[in-house]
Amino acid sequence: MPTLPPVTVEVVNGDVMLEPSSNSTKYNYRADKGPDVWHTLAPEWDICMSGTEQSPIDIVTSDVVSGVNTPIMMDYAPAPVSAVNKGSTLLLNFPATNTMAIGDRNFTLIQCHLHTTSEHTVNGASFPIEIHFVHADANSNLAVLGVMVQEGAASPVFPDIDRLNQIFPDQNGVVHETEELIQFEGLFPQDRSYYHYFGSLTTPPCAENVMWHVFREPITMSKEQLSVLLMKLNNLADASELGMSNRPVMPLGERTVYLGQNPEGLRTGNTEPPAAGSPAPEKTAGNLVFNLPKEGPTFNYTDLDWADITPEWDICASGQEQSPINIVHSNSVAGQAPQLTFSYTPTPLNIENNGKSLTLKGFDGNTMEIDGTTYDLVNIHMHHNSEHLFNGGAFPLEIHFVHADADGNLAVIGVMVEEGAANTAIPGDLKTFAQVFPGTKYVDYEFPTISVDMTQWLPADKTFYHYMGSLTTPPCSENVKWHVMQNPITMSRDQMSILLSAFKALDTASEFGAITMSKDQMSILLNAFKSLDTASEFGFTHRPAQPINERVVTIGYPPKDAQDGLPTVSTRVSFPFEYFGSPVGLQQQFSNEFIKQVAMVAGVSESAVRIVNLEKGSTIVTAQVTPAFEDIDSVKAKLEDPEAMFSADNGWDTSTFGTASAASTSNDGGSNDNDDDKLSSDQLALVIILCVLIPVLLIANLIACCCLMKNKEEKSSPSKPTMEDAMKAREMHRAGSEKKDAVMEA
């Protein structure tokens, strides 16, 4: 039993090590390299089939023979964590100071490892987990203690579920080492009676002469503890199709199982120490940090009513500029592209699984500059699926580059990821790519010898959509400058599968260009997202698109208004280039090149040039230049000669955009404050509307009056008699005359 009360430390520092691909196991528990074919995978493994004392076995209690009651004497002390994901099992290494004695034989504890379901069965029944404590004497004769685990009371060895989850790595070939002590003697039952028989290793090379001691009484773990361990065992790289890592029971043959020790005593197979083997392959070392959840409000992606969690997050519901949004390209407005200058250098890889996302950090010295303002790169994190939508469609993954200027103002670069060629931002093979992403929440890896090249996560064509938005997670703060790249990057399918637990390739962005990652790379960004505690039941970590409201999305930045008090010079230039029938990327290229060309020829900065209007025919560009007062005349003179300004001699791409053919116009260098005597475009439009509408309204009014008067006359004047009325009157008159004559005759 534990000699000290279990203690959970909030923050634990240690080491993480990555085993190379050459150290991978050559067998698994699946059909291709599973137990049925182990004997065929290597000549020295033939005993896996031909051996007569193979393990595990089914222990039939009615056939068990009473043996010698020899107690197992353990001299164990709490040990620091050294946990390994071997691909085929989860393993804990122990220092050589822990020993065990059976009678007069002494053994040193080497390691313990786990199998699911249990390898040994009792009367045909299995247990959820079996733990094997492997010991060796001075001559490497092996004695193994087997402990069954069933659901029940929580084990005191792992008092905190989050820490239990952190101890065992999620990826094949990853080692976690910390100084936090495990009081592992609590993993043995109080009743130390055991079944004993001679058997073998239960994995290749299946060597025999192993002294097995399977405790009769199982230990218990809580449902939560079992769930953590079973999830990790089920996800082992070499587990079976059903997530199992156990060898089926083997024939008992002529062997006898004893309750207690075999009366003949323990075997001595090796009489001297074995020769030293080849040194283990060198591992890649890094720094490891375990954290525990911090106090305070938390959120997830299942219940998205974040404003109901705490009043501080009310803006998540009430804000008018929330992110992400659905970007509809046809509703986007052409802007001007400021120079985005990325000063990124390869940086030691530091990745944190914070329970909400996979976040890369530690980017001191990496910056981005926009129009003379420098933004420091704070972190890079990922969402699945993409948070921003393009014309209603989502990408499998979205990467956010979060920057802040000296005043704390945020500028975020959003990059979509789709399946394609392998990405090279993180060096190394596919196994290394999988290993560097911690799949457990509140775990932090830092590798001084592995550098990430962030430029490989940026597309070559950096045309972007811009709008003002917010953080996409609580507290949902607004006033964030968003720059969503039009063009995605790519990862291979295996890379994506490492990051995504439920990857589905989407074809929503086939019209956009891409940089690439390989099929193998996209399959790896694997179970990392599904393990996030805030993920939805489908493993998604994205906020749905928010209403755009009155905001405008521009391609590039919105055109800048001329500064009050400064002179502006206008030019109107025509090109044969069909701007409105060209792809978006070529449209943006034309706008950018136009601004650069005018700025270069006029001798002003690009920020002093803005495109005011674009018209068809084929393309007519109206632009304004804001020079210094003393440069007005020279700038006007240069703008009045567009053929020279947009010539091949001046570096203009005439083969793509053609040469200019119209003369420029200017406002005579007048100040913006001195234009009161001129009609603005809005005023001119109003005059035209009034000139058209007033006559129309007058005519309509006259017609209405005429109709009204006519109706009035018809009501006031008697109606003219018809022919039918005249005939009736005539008949009445004749009838009256005849009646009068008859009276006279009478």
Side-chain angles (χ1 to χ4, degrees):
M1 297 301 293
T3 57
L4 295 171
V7 176
T8 301
V9 182
E10 184 173 353
V11 178
V12 174
N13 295 290
D15 300 310
V16 57
M17 287 175 286
L18 311 181
E19 295 180 345
S21 297
S22 59
N23 205 33
S24 299
T25 54
K26 298 178 175 60
Y27 67 90
N28 59 39
Y29 291 93
R30 296 187 293 275
D32 60 335
K33 296 181 181 179
D36 290 343
V37 297
W38 284 349
H39 64 287
T40 68
L41 301 179
E44 60 272 22
W45 293 358
D46 179 71
I47 196 174
C48 296
M49 173 64 74
S50 62
T52 58
E53 291 189 346
Q54 289 291 291
S55 295
I57 61 169
D58 177 34
I59 299 172
V60 181
T61 55
S62 60
D63 295 337
V64 171
V65 177
S66 295
V68 179
N69 185 16
T70 304
I72 297 175
M73 307 301 295
M74 300 176 184
D75 186 10
Y76 296 158
V81 170
S82 179
V84 188
N85 184 319
K86 297 295 292 183
S88 57
T89 187
L90 298 175
L91 181 148
L92 287 172
N93 289 313
F94 294 102
T97 54
N98 294 285
T99 61
M100 171 194 74
I102 303 176
D104 60 354
R105 296 284 296 276
N106 296 314
F107 299 87
T108 299
L109 177 60
I110 301 172
Q111 49 99 336
C112 77
H113 59 269
L114 288 71
H115 294 273
T116 185
T117 54
S118 66
E119 297 203 296
H120 290 90
T121 57
V122 179
N123 297 322
S126 60
F127 292 80
I129 291 176
E130 182 175 348
I131 307 175
H132 292 166
F133 291 83
V134 181
H135 302 71
D137 65 12
N139 295 326
S140 293
N141 294 297
L142 298 180
V144 182
L145 306 182
V147 179
M148 305 297 179
V149 184
Q150 66 181 13
E151 184 178 336
S155 169
V157 179
F158 305 111
D160 187 271
I161 292 295
D162 287 318
R163 186 53 43 81
L164 171 61
N165 200 11
Q166 293 169 339
I167 287 173
F168 292 103
D170 292 88
Q171 293 297 337
N172 182 14
V174 179
V175 182
H176 286 174
E177 291 188 349
T178 74
E179 293 302 316
E180 187 175 31
L181 300 180
I182 293 182
Q183 301 170 46
F184 62 92
E185 195 173 349
L187 295 176
F188 292 97
Q190 291 184 341
D191 180 359
R192 300 291 173 86
S193 59
Y194 56 86
Y195 300 110
H196 168 59
Y197 77 99
F198 296 117
S200 72
L201 298 176
T202 63
T203 58
C206 308
E208 295 184 344
N209 278 327
V210 174
M211 294 164 275
W212 275 96
H213 305 77
V214 180
F215 287 102
R216 185 168 63 169
E217 179 182 311
I219 66 168
T220 63
M221 290 187 182
S222 67
K223 182 177 181 179
E224 292 76 17
Q225 289 173 326
L226 279 175
S227 294
V228 167
L229 293 176
L230 289 174
M231 180 188 70
K232 289 184 177 284
L233 289 167
N234 293 158
N235 288 329
L236 288 171
D238 298 324
S240 73
E241 291 81 358
L242 298 178
M244 303 303 177
S245 56
N246 63 317
R247 187 188 192 189
V249 294
M250 307 303 290
L252 181 62
E254 302 299 323
R255 291 174 289 175
T256 301
V257 178
Y258 293 92
L259 179 60
Q261 198 63 41
N262 186 326
E264 297 179 1
L266 298 177
R267 289 180 180 175
T268 304
N270 301 322
T271 57
E272 58 184 32
S278 57
E282 187 174 347
K283 301 180 180 70
T284 301
N287 302 315
L288 170 70
V289 179
F290 291 161
N291 289 291
L292 290 179
K294 294 179 174 58
E295 295 183 359
T298 61
F299 69 92
N300 58 46
Y301 290 94
T302 300
D303 181 4
L304 293 166
D305 295 326
W306 296 337
D308 297 337
I309 297 174
T310 176
E312 288 78 11
W313 296 352
D314 177 71
I315 196 173
C316 295
S318 63
Q320 296 300 299
E321 293 189 345
Q322 289 291 291
S323 296
I325 61 171
N326 176 29
I327 298 173
V328 180
H329 179 74
S330 60
N331 294 340
S332 302
V333 177
Q336 59 186 26
Q339 188 67 30
L340 289 182
T341 304
F342 294 94
S343 297
Y344 289 170
T345 57
T347 302
L349 189 61
N350 186 347
I351 303 181
E352 176 189 13
N353 182 326
N354 60 18
K356 303 172 180 62
S357 181
L358 298 175
T359 301
L360 284 76
K361 55 186 184 178
F363 293 111
D364 293 346
N366 289 278
T367 62
M368 172 184 69
E369 185 175 311
I370 306 176
D371 276 355
T373 301
T374 299
Y375 293 83
D376 294 320
L377 179 59
V378 179
N379 70 59
I380 300 173
H381 61 267
M382 307 175 188
H383 293 273
H384 166 56
N385 281 340
S386 69
E387 297 205 297
H388 288 91
L389 305 180
F390 280 25
N391 300 317
F395 286 79
L397 185 71
E398 182 174 349
I399 304 175
H400 290 169
F401 295 72
V402 182
H403 302 75
D405 67 11
D407 296 324
N409 299 306
L410 297 181
V412 183
I413 305 295
V415 179
M416 307 298 153
V417 184
E418 66 180 0
E419 183 180 344
N423 190 278
T424 58
I426 297 176
D429 57 17
L430 200 60
K431 184 175 182 180
T432 302
F433 186 87
Q435 291 172 330
V436 298
F437 289 97
T440 302
K441 58 187 178 182
Y442 317 128
V443 174
D444 188 325
Y445 291 166
E446 182 180 9
F447 299 98
T449 60
I450 300 178
S451 294
V452 56
D453 182 0
M454 295 82 71
T455 61
Q456 298 302 310
W457 281 347
L458 293 172
D461 181 350
K462 296 178 177 58
T463 304
F464 61 87
Y465 295 106
H466 169 69
Y467 75 99
M468 294 302 296
S470 73
L471 299 176
T472 63
T473 58
C476 308
S477 306
E478 295 186 342
N479 205 32
V480 175
K481 291 183 177 180
W482 275 97
H483 312 73
V484 182
M485 295 292 174
Q486 281 189 348
N487 304 295
I489 66 167
T490 66
M491 294 182 183
S492 68
R493 178 172 293 179
D494 285 343
Q495 283 179 322
M496 289 289 285
S497 292
I498 287 173
L499 292 176
L500 314 175
S501 59
F503 171 72
K504 293 180 180 178
L506 301 177
D507 296 324
T508 54
S510 58
E511 66 189 83
F512 298 100
I515 74 166
T516 59
M517 283 185 189
S518 80
K519 176 179 179 181
D520 286 340
Q521 284 174 313
M522 245 178 172
S523 276
I524 298 178
L525 291 174
L526 156 120
N527 303 313
F529 275 103
K530 207 164 191 177
S531 68
L532 296 174
D533 64 333
T534 56
S536 72
E537 54 266 45
F538 298 107
F540 296 134
T541 60
H542 68 277
R543 187 187 192 191
Q546 303 296 300
I548 193 168
N549 296 323
E550 301 300 321
R551 290 175 287 178
V552 175
V553 177
T554 56
I555 302 173
Y557 270 8
K560 295 181 179 179
D561 294 330
Q563 300 178 44
D564 290 341
L566 292 179
T568 58
V569 181
S570 296
T571 183
R572 193 165 180 267
V573 188
S574 177
F575 296 90
F577 170 64
E578 293 284 353
Y579 176 90
F580 295 95
S582 299
V584 174
L586 194 56
Q587 290 178 349
Q588 189 66 34
Q589 182 184 349
F590 173 80
S591 300
N592 293 344
E593 294 300 323
F594 180 93
I595 291 172
K596 290 179 182 178
Q597 191 75 8
V598 173
M600 180 192 69
V601 174
V604 298
S605 66
E606 292 181 20
S607 61
V609 182
R610 70 187 187 104
I611 296 175
V612 178
N613 192 27
L614 286 166
E615 308 168 46
K616 291 184 178 179
S618 296
T619 299
I620 299 174
V621 185
T622 303
Q624 283 185 342
V625 180
T626 307
F629 283 101
E630 61 271 18
D631 296 330
I632 293 174
D633 293 337
S634 64
V635 170
K636 284 177 61 178
K638 292 173 182 176
L639 296 184
E640 287 172 355
D641 188 3
E643 290 84 357
M645 181 166 53
F646 294 97
S647 66
D649 292 340
N650 271 331
W652 180 248
D653 187 357
T654 56
S655 62
T656 303
F657 304 122
T659 56
S661 60
S664 64
T665 60
S666 74
N667 64 1
D668 298 325
S671 167
N672 291 340
D673 293 338
N674 297 326
D675 289 337
D676 295 339
D677 58 334
K678 298 181 181 180
L679 287 177
S680 68
S681 58
D682 290 341
Q683 291 171 327
L684 182 60
L686 181 60
V687 170
I688 293 172
I689 291 172
L690 291 175
C691 290
V692 173
L693 284 180
I694 289 175
V696 171
L697 291 173
L698 288 173
I699 293 171
N701 192 37
L702 288 173
I703 293 173
C705 290
C706 291
C707 293
L708 185 62
M709 292 177 64
K710 182 178 179 181
N711 290 337
K712 188 174 181 180
E713 289 174 358
E714 289 176 351
K715 290 180 180 179
S716 59
S717 60
S719 58
K720 295 180 180 181
T722 64
M723 180 64 70
E724 184 178 359
D725 293 335
M727 293 296 293
K728 287 182 179 179
R730 185 176 179 181
E731 288 294 323
M732 290 177 65
H733 177 73
R734 187 171 58 183
S737 298
E738 291 176 351
K739 186 176 181 181
K740 182 179 179 181
D741 292 341
V743 171
M744 292 295 293
E745 289 176 358

